[in-house]
Amino acid sequence: DPSCLPDSPPKNCDKLDGFPGVYVTTSGDDVGKIIDYRDHDTCPNFANYAKKGSEELVELLLKAIGRQREELIANEGEGTNVEKDLAKLEKWANKINPKTADKEADKVLKAA
């Protein structure tokens, strides 16, 4: 919940762009140390994404690709190589069958 995050970075820290609630220490004895104030039960991390089904993950991926494309076009214009790469990734993601992916993931987890 963003309302639980500090209004400004902790002392000797800067915000880590793209990661609300995550800061990097920029001076003092702990330079480079990462401070993470996000709720670890809900923040986007491996453990939380591993709990999601393939259908939700595909939806999140397609949403992220769309937002990246919007930001890219707004900042660099249309027709960039990165935009072409995003189109390829979107095409690949649209081919994913979530039910098949979930079954395959279950097989891998059982074998591990």
Side-chain angles (χ1 to χ4, degrees):
D1 179 11
S3 66
C4 297
L5 300 175
D7 291 331
S8 58
K11 184 179 178 182
N12 299 325
C13 293
D14 288 334
K15 292 180 180 180
L16 187 61
D17 289 339
F19 297 90
V22 180
Y23 307 92
V24 61
T25 307
T26 53
S27 62
D29 292 336
D30 291 326
V31 169
K33 180 180 177 187
I34 301 295
I35 299 171
D36 189 349
Y37 287 129
R38 298 174 300 172
D39 180 347
H40 294 279
D41 292 330
T42 59
C43 72
N45 62 30
F46 180 81
N48 291 334
Y49 280 117
K51 296 173 190 172
K52 298 181 184 299
S54 295
E55 187 171 347
E56 184 179 1
L57 291 171
V58 170
E59 288 174 13
L60 288 169
L61 176 58
L62 290 170
K63 182 178 177 181
I65 292 168
R67 290 282 300 143
Q68 287 181 357
R69 180 180 293 116
E70 290 172 11
E71 290 294 320
L72 177 67
I73 292 170
N75 288 287
E76 297 185 24
E78 293 187 24
T80 64
N81 287 334
V82 174
E83 185 182 4
K84 292 173 188 172
D85 289 342
L86 288 172
K88 289 178 191 174
L89 182 59
E90 183 177 41
K91 184 177 179 180
W92 172 82
N94 277 313
K95 291 180 182 179
I96 296 171
N97 180 327
K99 289 182 181 178
T100 303
D102 282 337
K103 287 179 185 176
E104 290 296 319
D106 286 341
K107 286 180 191 176
V108 170
L109 291 173
K110 286 179 184 174

